[in-house]
Amino acid sequence: MKGLKTLSIILTLAILMTACSRTNTAGTANSNITTTAEASEGSSASDTTSSDTPSSDTSSSDNEKAVSQDEMFSGRDMEIGYDEEAAVKINLNQNTAQCSSSAVTISEGMVTITEEGTYILSGTLDDGMIIVDIDKTDKVQLVLDGADITSRTCAAIYVRSADKVFITTAPDSGNVLSNGGDYAEIDDNNIDSVIFSKEDLTLNGSGSLTINANAGHGIVSKDDLVLTSGTYNISSEKKGLSANDSIRIAGGTYVINSGTDAIHAENSDDTSLGFVYIAGGTFDITTDDDAISSGSNLIINDGTFDINSADDSVHSNADITISGGDFKLASGDDGMHADETLAITAGTIDVTKSYEGLEGLYIDISGGEINVTASDDGLNAAGGNDESGFGGFGGGRGDQFAATEGACVDISGGTIYVNASGDGLDSNGDLIISGGEIYVSGPTDSANAAIDFNGSGTITGGTIIAAGSSGMLEMISSSAQGVITYVLNSSQNGGNIELTDKSGNIIASFNAAKSYNAVIISSPDIKQGSSYTLTTGTATADITMESLNYSNYSGGMGGFGGRGDGNAFGGNFGGRGDGNAPDGNFGGRGDGNAPDGNFGGRGDGNAPDGNAFGGNFGGRGDGNAPDGNFGGRGDGNMTPPDFDGATPPDFDENMMPPDFDKNMTPPDINNSDNADNAI
């Protein structure tokens, strides 16, 4: 890494202006992002006169939410021209090469460049490599003009020493670089890619480059990796593009098929480095891991992205800022995941498949067109780097009802559609809605909700229609505009939801994608003292707003009973501190679960341990009662008594749950005040 680290404040402000402009902060954004663009790269090896000094002008637009291209790329990075007459020609010929320059040494298939300059490579090298080994203050431009280079046991191009190297594809040229499936050691460096650079590396041009990495990675830079133009088709066993300090892409066309992350920047020694910046380009990515992954902040200003990833489609260990672009994301885990802040100011984002659609400790949406389909939560504000789509709950969700410090879903603009099997909008902290349009087709099961938050829920603006199950229904904490929370007498099988005023004017409408029995609607046009008609399918209900917050629902979240932070599901009895009693079960506990069909009483243990399985009796303080055994203990173990001589208590007499018919009957919503005006 070379040059002045002069742009740290610019990138930091760009992140913080979007992430921290709300009244609720999301913890600490990574304030040490450092770019390594050169203050000056000297004269071009091809004698071009373009500026090599990134602009220090922090030209602001829209509150400086986007970092300008001039701040990230030098003039030389963008320059694709070269002086063909003055350049050194290297002709590749099967297992050797020909060149008349003393700056090039050739030993069978190994071509070594030892002086600064521009070199044009053409022809085929069946088994060999190009090595750049020049002074640390010098630069080289390699022009690929119909070059086809294969190294069976190493990199096709290896930058051992230089200040910076530029690889340019000649106009209309097709070029291929390949590895044969192995990497033999040739020096002290761990060469593991088709293009391997110890120094700063820039790729550009108006031709095409195909990378075949039968082993290892496609392109690796141990410093900065910059790509500004050209067409790239990369197939790699491991990463497609990889860099230690940064990956910066100004434009170009990229088709990447990778075994691990397609685009990956990370610096384990300096967390201020290892960032990804994308100003534009077209990306078609298929990967068995993350598609775009950054160890530090990730900024995308524009571009077209068609991604199919086994893990996160867009991932950052710090912050993500999206200020433009067109995204089509199919993910085996999260569509977008930021360990800290995920900020979206503009762009079109279509998450067609995901476990969780958009995830970050603080989700800040102020613009854009967003459509999310998720098998769990649509938007999830939860801290940490999890793999929640792989094997169950992730993200530190030990107590799903405890608020996470700094967690927040904050929506002030944009249009958002969510189709989620889990929670539609889920915040482990606060939910703040001050603008935008939000439409949620939420869960059909009683263990999730269209809107869920563990802190406070506040609405001061925007239009919201959220439909889903009433099992975990959340009541908005406070609102500066009208909010209607309505529980239906019976579920509606999707279809149109519409709210109209007395004159028949449509206040809000939404076509729900699946069945629902609860609706939350908010709009600045819902006024206190006015009357409205809610239509769900073929049924209608008249609503008068006696206050800004109307609800026909007065029970606990989802079934019988009131609670502090626990739930009772679907007409079942559940008493608990902060856990759940699932459908059809009797559960009394402190903070654990009583599995389906079982009687579970316990202090601080978890289901399944400490419950009664399959007709067995199990009770404990903080230990386990294995299947088929009688277990009682405080903090140690007791040998189970012989069941022949120690029959468990008769559940009919001693351990029966309260008689639901007499003692604990849930309210009949057909006749109860809880279903006042029910459709």
Side-chain angles (χ1 to χ4, degrees):
M1 179 186 68
K2 298 165 291 296
L4 300 176
K5 298 181 179 180
T6 57
L7 301 180
S8 176
I9 296 176
I10 296 171
L11 270 175
T12 301
L13 287 174
I15 295 292
L16 295 182
M17 288 297 291
T18 52
C20 301
S21 59
R22 309 295 173 216
T23 58
N24 217 335
T25 59
T28 304
N30 189 332
S31 61
N32 296 316
I33 298 178
T34 306
T35 69
T36 57
E38 294 80 354
S40 175
E41 290 176 357
S43 60
S44 166
S46 57
D47 295 326
T48 59
T49 58
S50 61
S51 169
D52 214 24
T53 305
S55 169
S56 61
D57 176 24
T58 60
S59 54
S60 61
S61 61
D62 194 19
N63 293 327
E64 295 182 345
K65 291 180 180 179
V67 178
S68 76
Q69 190 165 298
D70 290 341
E71 294 158 4
M72 297 301 295
F73 306 99
S74 70
R76 179 73 187 280
D77 288 331
M78 307 299 294
E79 178 59 58
I80 64 174
Y82 55 94
D83 187 345
E84 187 172 355
E85 294 299 323
V88 175
K89 313 294 194 303
I90 301 175
N91 297 314
L92 309 175
N93 185 10
Q94 304 304 318
N95 293 319
T96 187
Q98 291 82 39
C99 182
S100 60
S101 172
S102 61
V104 178
T105 62
I106 301 171
S107 176
E108 295 183 347
M110 187 172 292
V111 179
T112 303
I113 296 170
T114 59
E115 294 181 12
E116 186 174 40
T118 297
Y119 299 83
I120 301 175
L121 293 88
S122 59
T124 300
L125 192 59
D126 291 334
D127 185 16
M129 61 190 302
I130 310 300
I131 300 176
V132 177
D133 194 359
I134 63 175
D135 192 87
K136 287 279 191 179
T137 61
D138 292 339
K139 298 175 180 64
V140 158
Q141 181 180 24
L142 303 179
V143 179
L144 304 181
D145 189 3
D148 188 339
I149 304 171
T150 297
S151 176
R152 295 178 185 175
T153 58
C154 203
I157 296 178
Y158 170 33
V159 179
R160 177 182 284 148
S161 176
D163 176 46
K164 187 171 184 176
V165 171
F166 302 84
I167 298 177
T168 301
T169 54
D172 302 320
S173 67
N175 306 275
V176 181
L177 303 177
S178 305
N179 165 265
D182 192 17
Y183 292 95
E185 183 177 303
I186 64 172
D187 57 22
D188 293 337
N189 294 314
N190 181 27
I191 301 171
D192 58 357
S193 60
V194 173
I195 299 178
F196 184 88
S197 178
K198 291 285 292 180
E199 316 294 354
D200 292 338
L201 178 66
T202 292
L203 285 85
N204 58 24
S206 55
S208 68
L209 175 59
T210 296
I211 301 285
N212 297 315
N214 294 309
H217 314 296
I219 302 174
V220 170
S221 171
K222 292 302 182 180
D223 282 341
D224 294 318
L225 177 58
V226 176
L227 303 100
T228 62
S229 55
T231 298
Y232 304 89
N233 192 324
I234 301 172
S235 178
S236 59
E237 182 205 24
K238 294 183 179 178
K239 297 179 179 68
L241 304 175
S242 179
N244 276 21
D245 291 351
S246 72
I247 293 179
R248 290 177 261 173
I249 301 175
T253 300
Y254 305 84
V255 177
I256 303 176
N257 289 270
S258 65
T260 59
D261 296 348
I263 299 173
H264 178 96
E266 185 172 16
N267 191 312
S268 58
D269 297 324
D270 187 347
T271 56
S272 69
L273 300 174
F275 66 87
V276 174
Y277 173 88
I278 299 175
T282 300
F283 302 83
D284 185 344
I285 297 175
T286 302
T287 176
D288 293 333
D289 211 324
D290 293 341
I292 304 172
S293 179
S294 176
S296 182
N297 288 346
L298 192 162
I299 299 175
I300 299 177
N301 289 343
D302 205 352
T304 301
F305 304 83
D306 190 343
I307 293 175
N308 191 327
S309 62
D311 206 340
D312 298 343
S313 293
V314 180
H315 177 97
S316 170
N317 292 352
D319 298 335
I320 295 175
T321 299
I322 306 294
S323 57
D326 188 346
F327 300 82
K328 183 178 180 181
L329 311 178
S331 170
D333 196 8
D334 301 335
M336 294 185 175
H337 173 97
D339 282 7
E340 297 176 11
T341 297
L342 170 59
I344 300 172
T345 65
T348 301
I349 300 171
D350 186 7
V351 181
T352 62
K353 173 190 172 185
S354 67
Y355 180 73
E356 292 183 327
L358 307 178
E359 184 172 60
L361 177 63
Y362 197 113
I363 298 176
D364 182 359
I365 300 174
S366 58
E369 303 287 328
I370 300 170
N371 195 321
V372 170
T373 299
S375 61
D376 194 47
D377 300 338
L379 275 62
N380 183 39
N385 179 6
D386 69 351
E387 293 184 348
S388 50
F390 302 94
F393 298 105
R397 305 177 190 176
D399 181 354
Q400 299 179 56
F401 298 93
T404 299
E405 183 178 359
C408 183
V409 173
D410 188 344
I411 301 172
S412 59
T415 301
I416 304 168
Y417 289 88
V418 173
N419 185 341
S421 297
D423 298 324
L425 309 181
D426 182 14
S427 175
N428 285 9
D430 296 335
L431 172 70
I432 303 171
I433 300 175
S434 58
E437 297 181 36
I438 304 162
Y439 305 96
V440 178
S441 185
T444 58
D445 66 88
S446 58
N448 293 283
I451 295 178
D452 182 36
F453 48 88
N454 291 19
S456 62
T458 303
I459 298 177
T460 60
T463 297
I464 303 100
I465 302 181
S469 167
S470 63
M472 290 280 283
L473 186 62
E474 291 275 8
M475 305 292 290
I476 297 300
S477 307
S478 64
S479 177
Q481 65 181 30
V483 178
I484 295 172
T485 303
Y486 202 92
V487 176
L488 284 63
N489 185 35
S490 60
S491 295
Q492 294 291 319
N493 188 24
N496 193 48
I497 300 169
E498 185 175 270
L499 185 72
T500 56
D501 63 15
K502 290 176 63 176
S503 301
N505 299 313
I506 298 175
I507 303 300
S509 66
F510 171 53
N511 192 31
K514 49 188 184 291
S515 64
Y516 63 92
N517 72 336
V519 178
I520 297 174
I521 301 177
S522 182
S523 167
D525 295 327
I526 299 176
K527 307 294 185 182
Q528 184 174 346
S530 298
S531 296
Y532 302 91
T533 299
L534 174 63
T535 302
T536 54
T538 59
T540 61
D542 294 327
I543 295 171
T544 299
M545 299 295 295
E546 296 180 358
S547 67
L548 280 179
N549 204 327
Y550 171 91
S551 176
N552 73 331
Y553 177 75
S554 60
M557 292 168 47
F560 169 72
R563 59 160 202 137
D565 61 353
N567 300 317
F569 291 91
N572 303 314
F573 174 75
R576 56 159 213 149
D578 61 359
N580 300 321
D583 296 351
N585 305 315
F586 173 80
R589 57 164 211 145
D591 62 359
N593 299 319
D596 294 351
N598 302 316
F599 175 82
R602 55 169 213 140
D604 61 353
N606 298 316
D609 295 337
N611 299 308
F613 290 87
N616 300 318
F617 175 75
R620 61 168 196 136
D622 61 356
N624 301 321
D627 294 354
N629 298 320
F630 174 84
R633 59 169 232 179
D635 59 358
N637 298 317
M638 294 180 61
T639 302
D642 184 354
F643 276 87
D644 291 335
T647 303
D650 184 352
F651 280 83
D652 293 336
E653 297 177 1
N654 303 315
M655 301 294 291
M656 281 298 293
D659 184 353
F660 282 84
D661 294 333
K662 298 178 181 180
N663 302 317
M664 303 295 288
T665 303
D668 182 355
I669 62 172
N670 291 313
N671 300 305
S672 167
D673 292 339
N674 283 346
D676 180 39
N677 296 323
I679 293 175

